Amino acid sequence: MSIVVTGATGHLGRHVVTQLLEKVPAEQITAVVRDEAKAADFAAKGVKVAVADYNAPETFDGVFAAGDKVLLISGNEFDKGRPAQHQVVIDAAKAAGVALLAYTSAPGSLTASLVDDHRATEKALLASGLPYTLLRNGWYHENYTENLAPVLEHNAVVAAAGEGRVSSASRADYAAAAVAVLTGEGHENQTYELGGDTAWGFAEYAAEIAKQTGKDIAYNSVPGEVLHGILTGAGVPEMFAGILVGVDASIAKGELAVDSGDLSRLAGRPTSPISEAVAIALKG
């Protein structure tokens, strides 16, 4: 029996594999990647590396075996039909007879267009008859803190989220929940609504950056169409800019405030605060 992680060298996947290495022997872990070279550090630690691509179904032949526990990390190619990509993994997992397929989805409360691919994948996973776990990940701290340059350049946090609040958490927090599911028992056919312990608003976020930098940082709440223009002007593709504006609209409606407590419960510890992610980003 292996624990198999797709997208293993991505932002979230790296955290998952790293944390799995603290819990299980390396030879029980398979990292599925598109570029073998990017997994060299994992291979050096004894992790099995399988090269496969969501866009090439035949590459998944033989990747899974009966009894495996699989984490399907959602793809990030928004323009390539993610549900069809995910279906490739679901079909291969079903053919192999895996014991569990966990999927990183999005909060059940979210209505933005971002969730359409996730809901389609959830539907396909449930239809497959495989034992499943839905890890409905909320927003990541790093979605914001990894892009502090324009905030510091313009002394402003700009969003179209009004007074909405976000229950974000670090990628490491979400990885800890996935690892708990992959290494624990009793998670079959469960849905977990995952989010940080403490929700924050954008004015608070701006104040935190100001506190840590000593700069005067404002929160500029703008209409969605203004944010769309800012994003596309900065080189963000039209389609993705629309997705981000949609997410802000959902935040304004309270759809990314998750208060289930599932994330800290699965991780076995409190989630990290946004202040910690700001500090890490500023050090970087």
Side-chain angles (χ1 to χ4, degrees):
M1 190 278 286
S2 282
I3 294 174
V4 187
V5 180
T6 73
T9 54
H11 289 307
L12 180 61
R14 281 202 160 274
H15 282 288
V16 173
V17 174
T18 300
Q19 292 184 38
L20 279 171
L21 284 165
E22 297 169 6
K23 296 271 187 86
V24 299
E27 59 269 20
Q28 288 182 19
I29 305 167
T30 300
V32 181
V33 300
R34 282 190 294 192
D35 183 350
E36 192 169 9
K38 289 183 180 175
D41 56 330
F42 291 151
K45 291 174 182 170
V47 173
K48 295 179 199 163
V49 176
V51 179
D53 189 325
Y54 294 155
N55 298 305
E58 67 282 359
T59 61
F60 276 91
D61 291 348
V63 169
F64 307 127
D68 284 352
K69 288 185 175 180
V70 179
L71 176 63
L72 167 55
I73 294 180
S74 57
N76 59 6
E77 295 177 315
F78 293 89
D79 57 339
K80 289 197 176 173
R82 292 194 297 169
Q85 291 181 327
H86 299 156
Q87 187 73 54
V88 166
V89 178
I90 292 169
D91 290 346
K94 183 173 183 180
V98 305
L100 181 74
L101 180 56
Y103 172 66
T104 61
S105 191
S109 53
L110 194 61
T111 62
S113 64
L114 174 74
V115 304
D116 294 348
D117 290 352
H118 292 301
R119 297 292 170 257
T121 302
E122 289 185 2
K123 188 176 176 184
L125 181 49
L126 267 61
S128 75
L130 282 168
Y132 68 87
T133 306
L134 299 181
L135 295 164
R136 287 180 167 170
N137 288 359
W139 227 220
Y140 302 137
H141 291 332
E142 292 90 345
N143 290 346
Y144 299 105
T145 60
E146 285 183 350
N147 195 28
L148 284 181
V151 173
L152 300 177
E153 182 186 344
H154 301 290
N155 293 327
V157 170
V158 180
E163 301 301 308
R165 302 179 74 75
V166 183
S167 302
S168 66
S170 70
R171 289 194 185 107
D173 292 333
Y174 290 105
V179 167
V181 165
L182 294 168
T183 59
E185 300 297 330
H187 300 291
E188 292 83 1
N189 305 331
Q190 298 295 314
T191 298
Y192 297 114
E193 298 288 347
L194 305 177
D197 295 336
T198 306
W200 51 267
F202 286 87
E204 292 165 76
Y205 176 56
E208 184 59 43
I209 299 169
K211 179 179 161 188
Q212 293 196 32
T213 60
K215 298 180 102 180
D216 190 10
I217 308 285
Y219 167 40
N220 291 345
S221 179
V222 299
E225 57 270 21
V226 172
L227 180 62
H228 192 277
I230 291 170
L231 291 170
T232 53
V236 176
E238 186 90 20
M239 178 186 177
F240 194 54
I243 287 171
L244 294 176
V245 170
V247 167
D248 271 15
S250 283
I251 291 171
K253 291 186 277 189
E255 294 176 4
L256 271 175
V258 178
D259 61 3
S260 66
D262 285 351
L263 182 52
S264 54
R265 194 159 46 245
L266 282 172
R269 56 170 172 75
T271 61
S272 62
I274 186 71
S275 57
E276 194 175 291
V278 170
I280 290 167
L282 290 172
K283 276 181 201 157

